[in-house]
Amino acid sequence: MTATTAGTERPERSVPKPQFTDAEAGAREFPDSGPGARRYNYYEPAKRKQTHYEDVTVDVQPDPRHYLSQGWIYGFANGEAGYPLHWTKLKAWGVDEPEPQRGPGSGGMQVKQWPAHGWHEFRDPNEEWEMTFYRYNANVVRQVNQNIDNAREGKSFEQWTPNWVRFVERNVGAWMHIEHILGLYVFAACNRSGPTNMHNTAMAVNSMHKIRFAQDLALYNMTLTEEIPGFDGAAHLDAWNNDPAWQGARKVTEKLTAVDDDWGESVFATNVVFEPLIGELFRSNLVMQAAAQNGDYVTPTVVGAAEHDFSARDLRWTQACFGPLTQDREFADHNKVLMQGWLSDWVPQCLEAARAMQPLWSMPDAKPPRFEDSLDRAKNRFAAIVADLGLETPKELKQ
Amino acid sequence: MSRQSLAKAHQKIQELAWEPQYHEPYMKYGTDYTFRKASKKDPLKQVLRSYFPMQEEKDHRVYGASDGAIRGNMFRQVQERWLEWQKLFLSIIPLPEISAARSMPMLFHVVPNPELHNGQAIQMIDEVRHSTIQQNLKRLYMNNYIDPAGFNNSLRNFQGDYCGTIGRQFAEGFITGDAITAASIYLTIVAETAFTNTLFVAMPAEAAANGDYLLPTVFHSVQSDESRHISNGYATLLMALSDEDNRQLLERDLRYAWWNNHRVVDAAIGTFIEYGTKDRRKDRESYAEMWRRWIYDDYYRSYLVPLEKYGLVIPHDLIEESWKQIWEKGYVHEVAQFFATGWLANYWRIDAMTDTDFEWFEYKYPGWYDKYGAWWENYNRLATPNGHNPIVFEDVDYVYPARCWTCMVPCLVREDMVTAEVDGQHRTYCHEVCRWTDVEAFRPSYQGRDTPNMGRLVGKREWETLYHGWNWADVVSDMGFVRDDGKTMTAQPHLDLDPKKMWTLDHMRRCPPLQSPNVLFNEMTDAQRAAYVADYNQQGPAGRPAPTSA
């Protein structure tokens, strides 16, 4: 019973009392009260107008060459601190200029002309921050889930040919390991190393796409185990660990995590070389080409979501990151030589791994395009990416 | 996703765990910890299929509330006293958040538990969320609050002002040095598990009491991610505890991390909550009461003490000492007084305390008025320019303090100040534990044991050093804390926006030059230094001169 009776009053609760303060914009005029003061004024936007993405990203990671007047205050045992610019061999204009040397009576020595060096000119063309990446990835997982649920309800897995079932359980399953390793041990691992917040956030977002796709494949594998009699949910482990067709790709994938202290090389080798020559070769030019003819309209939608991650987003930021470095006003030649060297190193390894995968093209009953045709398409795609970056197609591509 | 299917899904994604066969990952970061006997479990059980929609839903609530706040004219009822302090807080906090994201790969490299890496990767994503959602909140304040100055240049300001660097420890401490010390013990075991309670729960409640319901909306959403991060830290800690060789390092790191968090977080959040509020109801909790509940009871007694049975050496003495600092030695009050003393070196406006505030402080902290009342009355008296200088130059029984070399908060509890000569430099410390941190803990060997991965304290750790000998007008101009008329200061020691009552560079020009306590300390002879320290230890409370020199 909660009814109150006449004459008994509830004691006044102790709660804060709202007060009219009139503290809203425009309530008074004083220095800095105008609309011109209502913008972040410590950086220069890439275009005429500051974007929302820039406002929440630029200069959150400080730089002693900008405003960090007391310098970094914690260091590693070897004396390095913060985000050293030499954690990649790539260079952007201005990096060889000495850091301001501050001391007693020096003042803050803050940057006179922002930015202090070319790394700060990078902007992720996808303009990713928390609002965008949660919306995007939540939409992807919803789309993938709905496609799989629809297929399950429509009993569409029954239409798969037996060899296609074997193909998916082994090979589409094996691919999840590559995405997982690249997501965690290349992109997430490098998000501590980049020179600006824009670079590191782009790498973190790239890592999410990879880790999410790896899990998408793992959970798809789980569903198929439940839905398809005889589907071996553990076959992907055997393929990944033992199948000669996968050992080349595994070797290159693992080597991408082992790049010697250069985030630039790790990301470049992964997104510029590995992804078109092995990633898209397998995903676009095999799985997505072969599936429908073998009765499977579901797998292309799962794989296609990741294909879109790469081609529409991850490759886009990669081009915006590395392309300008080949045109850099101070270090263009240095960067081109470096990146050409990376191409010469990584292209043969990826082609060797790609050729090792050739037997996979023979597995489905309804055959996909010939392996050599698929590889040619992958090579053409790679050559176009390299040209867009302002680099030469490496002679090793002809191997 | 149901709990059962989530458990199955989590079990399935463990098949992704990777054991290198051809190439080991490049190990960029190091630790002196070992994990030879560690069991390998992931307590988090989070899969991205459910994670992304969950976070998106949380976002919808946050942005819906933001929209509502603007449409509902929230800024007609926010207290300026409160929102001014947010210029400092929201300058600092996006950096610790993004630093936490950047620290996760350090753990991938040193914690041999592929299952746990999944949780760490999700924490990385969470932290990017926190950093950008907080930058966005600050942007909203800048656009809609009466005075945007200080919000609009916050990421320039806090990197160069006289107290922002204190807050930067709460970021750089996560990403530098021994990977376990930084990313596990300092970040997840102490900062997230203990001190986010006051940061993200206690402080938002105070915001709401001051008419600002957006800060609680954003920070409670942030805090809802922290429980998963706490699980990451706990799992790593249990792994570390299973190897007895780690116990000496764990004891060292818990002492350092606890004390540094206490010094930094209690200084800042204590000040915001006690001196940034207009809510003076007697039954609202003081910071000391909140601390007792959230940190002493919830963290120390409920989380930390039970770990003792696993062999963890708990710094009981430092927890009691921290409480003593807050309750008996007035740590928060001393810090707030210091911030207000140096208002001219800041980029926000600091309101004076009134009789209503005095009464509340006296009720919550008996004896407060005798210590701090007269100084705040002087602060109020000297708030608007009227021929006098800012309070720091006036005779109000306050001795400008020396900085602590380690935590960079000044040595405000004067009796506790100690010194050391390190690397050819004479340094002052606010407490023996801060001396120990610099002189013993952050070194390549510890108690006879090699610790080659331990970090270093570097940088220009005393702000005043950079401006030693400068005229104050030049100091303020150099930092950029000037409004768009080119002369009115961003900072003010009051809330009145009448331009005639605001301090300008002209007022600063006539002040005495800035003097660095540390530069002066190093210029002294040994005898002078000894006398300085003896005198310093006699000073206080409330920064009063030593009785002999009064």
Side-chain angles (χ1 to χ4, degrees), chain A residues 49-99:
Chain A
K49 195 165 181 281
Q50 290 170 257
T51 65
H52 207 145
Y53 154 75
E54 287 177 310
D55 273 356
V56 298
T57 312
V58 176
D59 258 355
V60 173
Q61 176 179 311
D63 188 334
R65 296 161 192 252
H66 283 168
Y67 308 117
L68 203 61
S69 58
Q70 291 176 250
W72 298 106
I73 52 177
Y74 281 85
F76 286 101
N78 66 1
E80 291 181 339
Y83 296 85
L85 301 178
H86 63 264
W87 281 2
T88 176
K89 289 181 273 302
L90 292 166
K91 288 185 172 188
W93 62 263
V95 298
D96 281 353
E97 294 297 314
E99 265 189 32

Side-chain angles (χ1 to χ4, degrees), chain A residues 124-126 136 209 280 305-317 381:
Chain A
D124 175 3
N126 304 312
Y136 173 78
H209 295 155
E280 290 188 325
E307 210 61 334
H308 183 75
D309 288 344
F310 174 69
S311 62
R313 302 181 90 85
D314 298 337
L315 179 60
R316 199 161 167 240
W317 85 259
R381 161 85 157 154

Side-chain angles (χ1 to χ4, degrees), chain B residues 147-179:
Chain B
D147 183 10
F151 284 128
N152 55 11
N153 46 8
S154 65
L155 288 190
R156 167 184 175 156
N157 295 351
F158 105 95
Q159 298 175 21
D161 102 307
Y162 94 142
C163 55
T165 309
I166 300 169
R168 209 142 45 75
Q169 293 168 94
F170 203 67
E172 290 187 44
F174 305 163
I175 58 165
T176 322
D178 186 303

Side-chain angles (χ1 to χ4, degrees), chain B residues 418-429:
Chain B
V418 294
T419 67
E421 184 178 357
V422 183
D423 303 332
Q425 183 186 35
H426 295 279
R427 298 174 177 176
T428 49
Y429 304 92

Side-chain angles (χ1 to χ4, degrees), chain B residues 70-137:
Chain B
I70 295 166
R71 291 168 194 268
N73 297 315
M74 183 188 87
F75 291 90
R76 289 183 190 168
Q77 62 186 39
V78 296
Q79 293 291 348
E80 290 184 57
R81 176 188 279 184
W82 175 261
L83 223 60
E84 287 298 317
W85 282 106
Q86 293 309 307
K87 292 176 178 174
L88 173 60
F89 178 61
L90 286 173
S91 307
I92 295 172
I93 196 68
L95 177 63
E97 297 284 13
I98 207 67
S99 302
R102 309 308 178 220
S103 76
M104 289 298 113
M106 298 172 72
L107 294 177
F108 301 165
H109 285 186
V110 299
V111 180
N113 182 352
E115 288 191 20
L116 199 50
H117 298 171
N118 179 53
Q120 289 156 349
I122 291 177
Q123 177 167 353
M124 174 194 74
I125 304 166
D126 282 340
E127 306 289 8
V128 178
R129 169 177 194 251
H130 299 174
S131 178
T132 51
I133 207 170
Q134 290 161 3
Q135 271 290 104
N136 187 61
L137 175 66

Side-chain angles (χ1 to χ4, degrees), chain B residues 476-519:
Chain B
V476 174
S477 297
D478 190 63
M479 292 190 294
F481 302 170
V482 184
R483 291 171 186 263
D484 60 9
D485 63 352
K487 64 172 187 174
T488 305
M489 294 170 63
T490 304
Q492 299 291 329
H494 58 77
L495 298 179
D496 193 337
L497 288 167
D498 179 350
K500 291 195 287 295
K501 294 183 177 168
M502 296 171 83
W503 294 77
T504 69
L505 293 179
D506 295 337
H507 298 118
M508 296 298 107
R509 185 72 60 195
R510 68 194 186 201
C511 296
L514 192 153
Q515 299 273 281
S516 151
N518 187 261
V519 171

Side-chain angles (χ1 to χ4, degrees), chain A residues 338-355:
Chain A
L338 193 59
M339 286 190 256
Q340 288 296 155
W342 290 342
L343 291 175
S344 296
D345 185 22
W346 287 98
V347 165
Q349 296 178 62
C350 288
L351 288 178
E352 185 185 347
R355 292 195 182 285

